[in-house]
Amino acid sequence: MMQNLLEGRVLKTDRNSITIEHMGAAVSLEVIRDTTFQGANVRSAKDIKEGQQVRASFDLKGTRNELRSVEVLPGTLMEPKEKTAPETEPKPPSTY
């Protein structure tokens, strides 16, 4: 059986599936018993975070995409942006 490969950004994960954005399309991959996980501190789908770049191999079984393996690519964890106060123009002194 031929395995399919794709690389993309994680849109969503849960215990049973990972959804990856690949070439503008959302591709849902079903986590199966034999799915293998690769990458620093990645042992299951719950360790994969939204925004990370991954490389995945999967088999097409009927209408399902069964995830064979997924590798989190290094240096792709999306860090939260620092919140900064909006810039405002100073108000002129009050003239009452």
Side-chain angles (χ1 to χ4, degrees), residues 52-83:
Q52 289 182 304
Q53 286 290 125
V54 295
R55 182 176 300 128
S57 68
F58 64 98
D59 293 326
L60 184 58
K61 295 275 181 100
T63 60
R64 296 183 352 233
N65 296 321
E66 290 188 348
L67 183 61
R68 287 293 184 208
S69 68
V70 61
E71 175 187 8
V72 175
L73 301 177
T76 61
L77 181 59
M78 300 292 283
E79 297 295 329
K81 292 182 180 179
E82 286 187 31
K83 291 188 178 182

Side-chain angles (χ1 to χ4, degrees), residues 40-57:
N41 302 316
V42 178
R43 291 175 181 74
S44 70
K46 70 179 182 167
D47 298 323
I48 299 173
K49 307 297 181 216
E50 181 181 322
Q52 289 182 304
Q53 286 290 125
V54 295
R55 182 176 300 128
S57 68

Side-chain angles (χ1 to χ4, degrees), residues 3-96:
Q3 284 191 344
N4 299 289
L5 299 173
L6 65 80
E7 191 171 306
R9 182 175 61 90
V10 175
L11 296 175
K12 180 178 137 186
T13 63
D14 62 37
R15 197 172 54 119
N16 301 312
S17 69
I18 299 173
T19 303
I20 300 171
E21 178 183 28
H22 177 71
M23 297 178 68
V27 180
S28 185
L29 304 170
E30 180 182 336
V31 175
I32 60 173
R33 188 181 67 215
D34 297 330
T35 299
T36 59
F37 297 89
Q38 300 170 10
N41 302 316
V42 178
R43 291 175 181 74
S44 70
K46 70 179 182 167
D47 298 323
I48 299 173
K49 307 297 181 216
E50 181 181 322
Q52 289 182 304
Q53 286 290 125
V54 295
R55 182 176 300 128
S57 68
F58 64 98
D59 293 326
L60 184 58
K61 295 275 181 100
T63 60
R64 296 183 352 233
N65 296 321
E66 290 188 348
L67 183 61
R68 287 293 184 208
S69 68
V70 61
E71 175 187 8
V72 175
L73 301 177
T76 61
L77 181 59
M78 300 292 283
E79 297 295 329
K81 292 182 180 179
E82 286 187 31
K83 291 188 178 182
T84 57
E87 290 188 32
T88 59
E89 301 219 3
K91 292 183 180 178
S94 174
T95 57
Y96 343 15

